[in-house]
Amino acid sequence: MSDIVAFNSVAEEAAPKAQVDRVVAGPRGRKPRRALSSRNIVIYGTLIVVALYYLLPLYVMVMTSLKGMPEIRLGNIFAPPLEITFEPWVKAWASACTGLNCDGLSRGFWNSVRITVPSTIVSIAIASVNGYALANWRFKGAELFFTILIVGAFIPYQVMIYPIVIVLREMGIYGTLTGLIIVHTIFGMPILTLLFRNYFAGLPEELFKAARVDGAGFWTIYFKIMLPMSLPIFVVAMILQVTGIWNDFLFGVVFTRPEYYPMTVQLNNIVNSVQGVKEYNVNMAATILTGAVPLFVYFVSGRLFVRGIAAGAVKG
Amino acid sequence: MAGYSEGSGRPNQWLRNLNAKIASVPMILTAVVIFLGGTIWTVVYSFTNSKLLPRLSFVGLDQYERLWDAPRWLVSVQNLAIYGIFSLIFSLVIGFVLAALMDQKIRFENTFRTIMLYPFALSFIVTGLVWQWLLNPEFGIQSVVRSLGWESFTFDPLYNSDIVIYGILIAALWQGTGLVMCLMLAGLRGIDEDIWKAARVDGIPMWKTYLFVVIPMMRGVFITTLVIIASGIVKVYDLVVAQTSGGPGIASEVPAKYVYDYMFQAQNLGQGFAASTMMLITVAIIIVPWAYLEFGGGRKRV
């Protein structure tokens, strides 16, 4: 609401200035409109309603997680808590139960950290070198493999899961964190390679040629020239991988043993367990905790996140 | 593309580019062994009667016949069809309308975009659990509306087999329309400003300009978005697991869940392989025409 008021006053201040501009430079841009025209009311009204709809689940999550169970049973989910309690948060983190294990979501959190950090680093390292090779050092057949890789990005994971299980079992790493890290590296490869290939191909070719003339080789050019020039794309790739891997559920449940389950899997087990009394406040606190990391990445990274998902959307 | 192909015919190419080849080994392995090999492997084994372990004893199309006789699979396919059609239509329409609103040179564009896109950063598990809570008939939206005085108000999609898939749809749209809006907005920003000026000079109303000029011009963006949404739809799994676990009964089962359950829980691998091959075929039906339109004949898309 206050947004509209602020907007009006700014628009009114801007109006005379626009008129002066018009006298000086002739009519440019759109005709200045009255701030409270019916058109603006419709546009801002719709957007505000939509924004409230998008924010509602987050609001309800937070409110529910701060209430005690008696208040939840009596009250309405949209009402703010009468008595704020952080107990559900503590319980969700430290003592919520999955089956017989009652050490809370913290275990899943640390598992997710142990999965996400190495997976992100390994997948980006491999894909960036690979994209660089594809952009600047093309060899015969490279395009063919790359095409298979990109087409493969559209194949449903379910089709490739079982063969991977067999390969990992043969290697003796099925069910371990290493296995899961390899799986994340494999499935992150199409989009990341595409991202890096396009980025490196867009850099001025003269740089690469000059370095070649000076006698620099494959790795020297990569580390001394390409890497320092492409930090933004590395950040984009990192955002993409951290949120993607953190949010993964399917690979976590297929490729790891219960003691290594990532946070998403553990969260689902806590909330959807059939035993015991449902504690909605603890469930919601656990849900927020699981969503906190990608949300943090999202709010901190801003525009880069949009770039990342626009590129990463093909990952589906 | 860097257009760095003039050296590709040299005789010492093999040795000179050794480093690039070494760097590409992970990609080649992934592409050939996992993507190509794994897919062929699964398709081949879908013609066997593998149960607990994969075995190469072929039974022809048996698994497929059994699959299409299974009520659970039929429900899954039907659900996917309903979910797919509606989420395509709604996310394209809502996404485009929101993008058009955002494109009216509004203030606080960043704030609005941030709000609409944040659900996309959340996992399907989180999305599913939040909406499970909101749609809980005892405490959620239904009970709130009832407590306001409308006693007969009924809105319990997750507990009603007939409409449970729409409950999942609501959650999916909440999570995904922000992305569609962003893609559409990028497309709108790519439209030449002169088009708008020309339309205004000719006195064409704005909605007509959108419908008959701008949307046809955004054909490429629409097709790309369509492919992105569609290939996401086929994979829908986590959301259902979190929100309903396929229930009530089997009312909200989807193909991806069928595959997982048969492969890793019912230990009926053959069924799992056959079902996943059907998923592959579905994706192929979506992707092949698109790839043909986009890259076919070697000409650039218009």
Side-chain angles (χ1 to χ4, degrees):
Chain A
M1 300 294 176
S2 61
D3 285 355
I4 285 195
V5 177
F7 167 51
N8 286 345
S9 60
V10 174
E12 273 156 23
E13 280 165 27
K17 191 174 168 290
Q19 275 168 354
V20 174
D21 283 349
R22 192 145 31 119
V23 173
V24 176
R28 279 183 58 219
R30 293 186 172 206
K31 196 170 70 180
R33 267 184 283 260
R34 278 191 308 125
L36 257 182
S37 65
S38 59
R39 181 177 169 278
N40 272 344
I41 292 175
V42 171
I43 290 177
Y44 285 94
T46 317
L47 285 176
I48 287 169
V49 169
V50 170
L52 287 178
Y53 168 75
Y54 277 98
L55 286 173
L56 189 75
L58 187 64
Y59 168 81
V60 170
M61 263 198 288
V62 175
M63 289 307 133
T64 307
S65 73
L66 294 174
K67 291 176 190 170
M69 268 317 281
E71 200 186 326
I72 290 177
R73 283 199 203 90
L74 292 174
N76 113 23
I77 54 167
F78 301 115
L82 298 170
E83 205 179 320
I84 292 180
T85 165
F86 290 99
E87 209 180 307
W89 288 72
V90 176
K91 185 163 185 204
W93 178 255
S95 64
C97 295
T98 41
L100 295 173
N101 260 316
C102 283
D103 43 8
L105 257 185
S106 52
R107 190 162 51 96
F109 175 84
W110 291 114
N111 281 343
S112 277
V113 171
R114 287 197 291 165
I115 293 163
T116 306
V117 172
S119 303
T120 304
I121 294 171
V122 172
S123 61
I124 291 179
I126 289 180
S128 64
V129 175
N130 198 359
Y132 160 66
L134 285 170
N136 295 318
W137 299 83
R138 284 159 60 191
F139 55 91
K140 262 196 172 157
E143 283 299 306
L144 174 70
F145 294 122
F146 182 63
T147 309
I148 299 176
L149 192 76
I150 296 302
V151 172
F154 289 100
I155 301 174
Y157 300 141
Q158 281 78 7
V159 178
M160 295 173 282
I161 279 182
Y162 206 84
I164 297 177
V165 168
I166 294 177
V167 170
L168 292 182
R169 201 182 279 149
E170 290 298 312
M171 291 164 73
I173 49 174
Y174 177 56
T176 64
L177 288 178
T178 318
L180 184 58
I181 291 164
I182 292 176
V183 170
H184 279 304
T185 306
I186 287 173
F187 285 106
M189 203 180 285
I191 180 59
L192 291 182
T193 306
L194 181 71
L195 196 70
F196 281 108
R197 189 195 78 139
N198 290 353
Y199 187 84
F200 289 133
L203 292 177
E205 216 185 323
E206 288 73 24
L207 272 170
F208 177 77
K209 283 192 173 151
R212 289 288 290 140
V213 170
D214 288 349
F218 184 88
W219 297 106
T220 318
I221 297 179
Y222 175 76
F223 282 111
K224 294 252 164 81
I225 296 171
M226 295 303 180
L227 205 62
M229 281 187 67
S230 45
L231 283 181
I233 204 69
F234 274 90
V235 175
V236 167
M238 236 168 70
I239 293 166
L240 202 67
Q241 285 300 85
V242 168
T243 51
I245 295 169
W246 192 275
N247 286 340
D248 160 69
F249 175 79
L250 181 66
F251 298 147
V253 88
V254 171
F255 293 104
T256 55
R257 288 193 291 270
E259 69 259 38
Y260 296 131
Y261 273 166
M263 205 172 186
T264 48
V265 178
Q266 210 197 351
L267 169 72
N268 186 52
N269 289 346
I270 289 175
V271 177
N272 283 327
S273 83
V274 280
Q275 310 126 331
V277 184
K278 288 243 173 200
E279 290 181 288
Y280 298 107
N281 50 359
V282 176
N283 290 350
M284 283 302 114
T287 310
I288 300 173
L289 284 171
T290 310
V293 169
L295 272 188
F296 177 77
V297 172
Y298 172 68
F299 284 116
V300 169
S301 59
R303 274 190 173 278
L304 280 174
F305 183 88
V306 180
R307 252 180 91 181
I309 56 154
V314 284
K315 209 164 86 169
Chain B
M1 310 245 183
Y4 192 77
S5 54
E6 64 267 19
S8 61
R10 282 186 211 157
N12 62 347
Q13 184 74 8
W14 175 253
L15 275 180
R16 195 174 69 89
N17 237 347
L18 197 60
N19 274 323
K21 281 164 187 159
I22 293 170
S24 302
V25 166
M27 172 185 83
I28 295 171
L29 282 180
T30 300
V32 177
V33 178
I34 304 296
F35 288 1
L36 202 59
T39 304
I40 293 171
W41 190 95
T42 300
V43 174
V44 168
Y45 273 84
S46 73
F47 297 107
T48 69
N49 65 354
S50 307
K51 286 281 183 198
L52 178 60
L53 289 170
R55 283 192 307 146
L56 266 181
S57 57
F58 290 98
V59 289
L61 290 170
D62 258 22
Q63 295 289 1
Y64 291 92
E65 278 170 26
R66 215 171 300 159
L67 183 68
W68 286 99
D69 279 338
R72 188 176 154 190
W73 174 254
L74 295 177
V75 171
S76 304
V77 171
Q78 194 194 345
N79 277 339
L80 188 67
I82 297 173
Y83 172 84
I85 290 167
F86 281 103
S87 67
L88 267 182
I89 295 172
F90 280 117
S91 49
L92 282 179
V93 171
I94 298 172
F96 183 79
V97 170
L98 288 179
L101 287 174
M102 297 278 280
D103 199 33
Q104 304 304 315
K105 299 203 164 58
I106 57 158
R107 271 158 197 277
F108 314 112
E109 187 194 313
N110 275 334
T111 312
F112 282 119
R113 204 197 41 227
T114 305
I115 291 172
M116 288 178 201
L117 195 58
Y118 89 88
F120 191 75
L122 296 170
S123 67
F124 276 125
I125 298 293
V126 169
T127 307
L129 294 177
V130 178
W131 282 94
Q132 186 193 57
W133 174 234
L134 282 166
L135 297 175
N136 183 317
E138 242 180 292
F139 303 104
I141 294 169
Q142 173 175 297
S143 99
V144 171
V145 174
R146 280 187 186 174
S147 72
L148 293 175
W150 186 357
E151 293 291 336
S152 62
F153 178 78
T154 311
F155 188 62
D156 57 345
L158 300 188
Y159 291 82
N160 181 342
S161 323
D162 296 332
I163 53 169
V164 61
I165 197 68
Y166 300 98
I168 290 167
L169 184 66
I170 294 174
L173 288 176
W174 177 75
Q175 206 250 5
T177 35
L179 171 71
V180 180
M181 185 274 290
C182 272
L183 296 172
M184 294 284 171
L185 188 57
L188 283 173
R189 294 278 149 87
I191 300 276
D192 196 340
E193 192 73 15
D194 291 344
I195 300 283
W196 288 107
K197 284 182 189 155
R200 215 172 307 131
V201 169
D202 290 346
I204 303 170
M206 191 177 248
W207 65 270
K208 269 194 174 172
T209 317
Y210 269 116
L211 211 56
F212 298 113
V213 182
V214 173
I215 291 181
M217 283 178 77
M218 281 170 63
R219 195 177 131 266
V221 176
F222 268 93
I223 293 175
T224 309
T225 313
L226 201 85
V227 170
I228 289 167
I229 306 172
S231 58
I233 287 169
V234 180
K235 291 175 187 168
V236 64
Y237 170 72
D238 336 13
L239 186 61
V240 176
V241 170
Q243 217 178 343
T244 64
S245 319
I250 55 164
S252 59
E253 291 288 343
V254 284
K257 191 163 174 296
Y258 189 93
V259 173
Y260 175 81
D261 289 353
Y262 274 89
M263 274 188 196
F264 296 100
Q265 276 164 2
Q267 286 165 342
N268 190 342
L269 287 175
Q271 274 293 290
F273 296 148
S276 57
T277 305
M278 292 312 303
M279 290 178 68
L280 179 66
I281 293 172
T282 315
V283 172
I285 290 171
I286 302 165
I287 299 299
V288 170
W290 168 71
Y292 184 78
L293 278 175
E294 193 97 325
F295 310 110
R299 69 195 158 81
K300 283 192 139 188
R301 76 187 150 88
V302 191

